[in-house]
Amino acid sequence: MPTYAADYAASLADPAGFWAGQAARLAWYHDPPRPVLSQDEGTGFYRWFRGGRLNTSWLCLDFHVANGRADQPALHYDSPVTGTRRSYTYAELLDLTARLAGGLRAQGVEQGDRVLIYMPNMPEAVVAMLACARLGAVHSVVFGGFAPPELAVRIDDALPRAIICASAGMEFDRVIPYLPLVQQALALATHQPACVVVSQRDFCPAELPETRPAAGLAGPRFVNYGHLLEAAPVAAVPVDATAPLYILYTSGTTGRPKGVVREHGGHAVALRYSMGAVFGLQPGDTVFTGSDIGWAVGHSYIVYGPLLLGATAVLLEGKPVRTPDAGTFWRLAAEYGASVLFTAPTAIRAIRKEDPEGLLARRYDLSKLRHLFLAGERCDPATYAWAGELLGVPVVDHWWQTESGWPMLATCVGYPDAPAPLAGSAGHRVPGYDLQILDEAGEPVPAGTTGLVALRLPLPPGCLPTLWNDDSRFQQAYLETFPGYYLSGDGGYCDEQGYCYIMGRVDDVINVAGHRMSTGELEEILAAHPAVAECAVLGLYDELRGQVPVGLVVLKDGQTLPETELEQQLIRLVRDKVGAVACFRRAAVVARLPKTRSGKILRKTLRQLADGEEFTLPSTIDDPAILDEIRAVLYRREMLRTAGDSPV
Ligand code: COA
Ligand code: AMP
């Protein structure tokens, strides 16, 4: 049995050799994929397994059906919000996927085409992802909480041939019709897909607009998802390992999201490896990931990871709380016999808030549970300790990003010599990741010193090879600052024992309930309000969500709009432009914003001030008195954090 120490060393000493070994565990159309690691001419970007041929959907479904897992459950769908439960065996999931792929092909979707998916956590969404992969089409799932303008930006960037959406979603007991949101997005977008496929939901079916040929109208055809399933099943299309499997948009530091690209080959190899090495799972095990398929965590550990392994995935449509109570996660883990439960610390904080004694967990038999994995944001020690005591299993905090697609720091519980997890630390370097802490000059710092978290190139398989249609942004955003490194955007440190600690973003990205938001984007929206002269959006400490965005706005001369009215208008603006998921609920009017002498707003200082952190007054500050003014406004608006706010 390999050890963590040996595998970590091997993965750095000979990346191509190490990953060739992992690749050999998958069924390729032509063995072995060569060259294992290469660089693109021109850009120099690293590529894994160029020349290899495979199909991710085939590996997730056909392979298992052909190898004794046809009758094993592949997916348990549990939807307390709609009162539905359904289970699908590998054979059933394959059948649905192959038929939907046939239906999509009949609508003109072919290899290389993009398909945008806008659906809540429902099996039809999983089937849609797998059907795209089967055709070699590139899916791009957009999280349901995003508003039409966000959808439109993604439509105009990915240029999808088809959009697949649900007729509606359910937020707690609130029905959210999705089709009108798609139609609003199409009205905003320049690009129009050939068709919109609608998965009808019993609780809110959508009336489909007249189709284009019949009406002689410009714009897409609208077709029922169920109609597509009537097609004959189609076989998986062999694709190049470097062909894109999906694009997943994530917040950057500007209003334009970044289209993270994931390739078939590296992704399959990395996820298959991580299921065993990081999560300690075996084929046949059950995994419950409490996330949304619209996020990277959902892509990797609700859908692809479990299915590539031959495990059983649990898909929850609902929240950790109030659907119907704070015991939902424990019920699902118990009823489906999950070995691993994976979610964000926010979800645990939400459960703890409603059920501080953990009484609901005691109602269920969680004896099969081996580990609780937490990621998506920094896990505070109090939440870590509470979950560990309640469940009696190791809690594994681990760190990754949409860009990596799988963990970069973790306790790799699949290895016999994995060091014990430690509260506050996101664990050790995962094999494949040469993580370094750098100073501002790009030099590695000694153990224990905080700096910029960077990864020495090449990144391992599975990580983004570039951004969709934007090599130069990829270069500029991640690679340019320190040649030879990928810059993560996080700050942190590692100690002498190799435990690493991620302390938070060093850029204008904030983390709201495990969701990534760009303060730059929110500022662009606030600044567009006619009364606003300038503004700063800060991610302030929030007991439940970790951070929430708060706007500080300076009014234009002569503006007399009352603060409360302006605040309501700004909240509505962000809801309409970004979506409810931004959780923008507070804005305060200030007379001035603190700036450097060159005119840059001191956002970090403002956040530190509001969060009650100690800070040194920047030597470049224009007028230190502004900070006192702002402190007074924050105090009046109850936005100042005091020591008593801390759950720690
Ligand atoms: N579709 C439409 N609206 C959505 C949505 C979706 N898929 N997801 C969230 N929203 C809305 C919510 O209804 C809420 O709207 P409101 O302002 O009208 O109340 C708003 O967006 C904010 O959502 P959220 O911050 O999620 O708050 P919440 O009260 O609905 O739930 C938690 C709080 C903690 C339970 C929830 O955030 C959660 O489960 N977090 C887990 C984090 C997670 O899965 N992270 C993924 C990475 S692991
Ligand atoms: P996303 O791309 O949406 O998954 O967000 C990635 C960001 O979430 C990272 O850059 C970190 O800032 C944060 N993050 C994810 N996991 C952790 C963790 N375990 N500890 C601290 N921060 C985390």
Side-chain angles (χ1 to χ4, degrees):
M1 189 183 227
T3 61
Y4 163 73
D7 268 8
Y8 186 71
S11 74
L12 261 50
D14 176 17
F18 179 78
W19 290 109
Q22 298 303 328
R25 299 164 74 187
L26 295 180
W28 299 72
Y29 287 104
H30 307 288
D31 277 340
R34 288 281 182 272
V36 174
L37 179 61
S38 56
Q39 280 179 279
D40 280 345
E41 273 180 35
T43 60
F45 297 163
Y46 287 94
R47 307 301 284 263
W48 288 97
F49 312 115
R50 184 183 291 286
R53 305 272 287 166
L54 77 170
N55 181 290
T56 304
S57 181
W58 188 91
L59 290 170
C60 286
L61 299 170
D62 307 58
F63 175 83
H64 299 305
V65 168
N67 287 277
R69 298 194 184 277
D71 299 326
Q72 178 193 309
L75 185 70
H76 294 299
Y77 164 61
D78 196 305
S79 172
V81 286
T82 61
T84 323
R85 288 186 209 195
R86 268 181 270 145
S87 292
Y88 300 82
T89 64
Y90 269 95
E92 287 165 344
L93 202 59
L94 169 59
D95 176 57
L96 285 168
T97 301
R99 285 192 283 127
L100 185 71
L104 286 171
R105 183 176 280 165
Q107 294 295 326
V109 176
E110 291 294 346
Q111 184 173 353
D113 286 340
R114 272 79 59 210
V115 176
L116 193 138
I117 299 174
Y118 188 58
M119 301 169 97
N121 272 2
M122 54 196 276
E124 290 78 1
V126 175
V127 170
M129 292 164 79
L130 293 165
C132 290
R134 193 166 191 83
L135 295 173
V138 185
H139 63 69
S140 186
V141 183
V142 180
F143 178 65
F146 282 120
E150 289 286 335
L151 202 48
V153 170
R154 286 153 175 80
I155 292 171
D156 280 338
D157 195 65
L159 308 179
R161 181 167 295 270
I163 293 180
I164 308 179
C165 70
S167 61
M170 187 80 98
E171 275 290 297
F172 297 110
D173 51 3
R174 193 172 85 224
V175 173
I176 302 187
Y178 274 38
L179 187 57
L181 302 177
V182 171
Q183 288 176 290
Q184 286 168 37
L186 289 175
L188 294 170
T190 309
H191 172 79
Q192 297 293 303
C195 69
V196 176
V197 181
V198 183
S199 178
Q200 297 285 9
R201 313 210 68 188
D202 295 344
F203 61 86
C204 181
E207 197 172 319
L208 301 194
E210 257 192 287
T211 56
R212 182 172 49 175
L217 299 170
R221 287 183 302 278
F222 288 82
V223 285
N224 273 314
Y225 187 106
H227 172 67
L228 264 56
L229 286 176
E230 290 164 15
V234 295
V237 175
V239 297
D240 288 339
T242 49
L245 167 69
Y246 69 76
I247 307 165
L248 182 54
Y249 288 92
T250 187
S251 298
T253 49
T254 67
R256 205 161 56 87
K258 295 169 172 166
V260 168
V261 174
R262 199 85 61 214
E263 298 179 331
H264 275 262
H267 172 256
V269 172
L271 283 195
R272 175 69 182 75
Y273 165 73
S274 73
M275 291 303 285
V278 179
F279 297 95
L281 288 158
Q282 301 291 329
D285 280 346
T286 297
V287 191
F288 168 35
T289 299
S291 178
D292 190 283
I293 52 146
W295 306 121
V297 171
H299 278 64
S300 295
Y301 296 111
I302 296 177
V303 183
Y304 287 114
L307 297 180
L308 282 162
L309 179 68
T312 300
V314 180
L315 178 70
L316 167 68
E317 184 182 17
K319 303 266 173 168
V321 291
R322 293 185 280 140
T323 57
D325 59 28
T328 298
F329 273 23
W330 319 135
R331 176 179 69 77
L332 264 67
E335 283 184 11
Y336 301 109
S339 310
V340 160
L341 168 52
F342 178 172
T343 191
T346 303
I348 303 295
R349 285 197 295 270
I351 293 171
R352 181 181 171 209
K353 196 165 165 230
E354 303 221 346
D355 179 23
E357 306 299 322
L359 300 177
L360 292 166
R362 303 212 167 88
R363 286 194 196 158
Y364 300 101
D365 173 9
L366 292 165
S367 55
K368 289 223 172 109
L369 193 65
R370 295 198 294 260
H371 295 101
L372 171 68
F373 277 82
L374 297 177
E377 58 180 318
R378 186 172 152 70
C379 182
D380 55 281
T383 302
Y384 184 95
W386 185 83
E389 274 165 35
L390 179 70
L391 300 174
V393 298
V395 179
V396 184
D397 181 5
H398 61 306
W399 172 72
W400 51 300
Q401 304 181 306
T402 306
E403 287 85 344
S404 67
W406 65 288
M408 299 183 271
L409 287 173
T411 297
C412 292
V413 304
Y415 289 103
D417 59 334
L422 200 65
S425 165
H428 284 64
R429 295 164 174 89
V430 171
Y433 290 101
D434 188 357
L435 184 144
Q436 301 288 332
I437 307 293
L438 306 179
D439 64 18
E440 296 287 341
E443 294 299 323
V445 299
T449 309
T450 302
L452 306 167
V453 182
L455 301 156
R456 214 194 299 266
L457 301 177
L459 296 173
C463 297
L464 80 174
T466 185
L467 293 174
W468 182 251
N469 271 341
D470 211 342
D471 286 348
S472 61
R473 191 174 183 195
F474 177 61
Q475 174 74 31
Q476 174 257 317
Y478 301 102
L479 308 180
E480 212 160 78
T481 315
F482 301 126
Y485 288 97
Y486 163 93
L487 199 58
S488 72
D490 280 313
Y493 65 95
C494 298
D495 67 16
E496 300 275 1
Q497 285 73 44
Y499 284 99
C500 296
Y501 300 77
I502 301 293
M503 306 311 290
R505 300 288 303 196
V506 293
D507 55 13
D508 295 334
V509 168
I510 59 170
N511 197 310
V512 184
H515 310 144
R516 188 159 146 183
M517 290 290 147
S518 154
T519 53
E521 176 178 15
L522 298 179
E523 285 175 8
E524 281 174 30
I525 293 169
L526 301 196
H529 188 285
V532 173
E534 59 178 351
C535 64
V537 171
L538 321 171
L540 293 197
Y541 168 81
D542 180 81
E543 196 173 342
L544 174 65
R545 294 184 173 84
Q547 285 185 307
V548 286
V550 165
L552 299 184
V553 297
V554 178
L555 293 182
K556 283 183 184 158
D557 283 347
Q559 283 294 338
T560 52
L561 197 60
E563 187 178 39
T564 45
E565 207 173 313
L566 176 66
E567 184 177 40
Q568 287 313 312
Q569 290 180 12
L570 294 176
I571 292 170
R572 169 65 30 213
L573 208 55
V574 172
R575 252 183 124 81
D576 290 347
K577 297 261 181 219
V578 180
V581 67
C583 235
F584 183 83
R585 293 170 183 170
R586 318 249 8 228
V589 172
V590 294
R592 307 180 285 169
L593 287 167
K595 293 183 188 166
T596 61
R597 276 179 222 113
S598 60
K600 206 169 162 285
I601 295 173
L602 291 162
R603 292 180 178 77
K604 188 173 168 201
T605 310
L606 281 173
R607 186 196 56 72
Q608 289 171 319
L609 174 95
D611 277 350
E613 283 176 21
E614 293 211 355
F615 61 92
T616 32
L617 201 62
S619 57
T620 52
I621 191 164
D622 191 26
D623 181 359
I626 300 180
L627 292 179
D628 294 328
E629 289 170 23
I630 292 192
R631 186 182 282 114
V633 172
L634 293 172
Y635 178 77
R636 174 174 59 78
R637 296 295 315 275
E638 296 178 2
M639 291 179 184
L640 265 190
R641 183 180 176 192
T642 58
D645 293 341
S646 169
V648 186

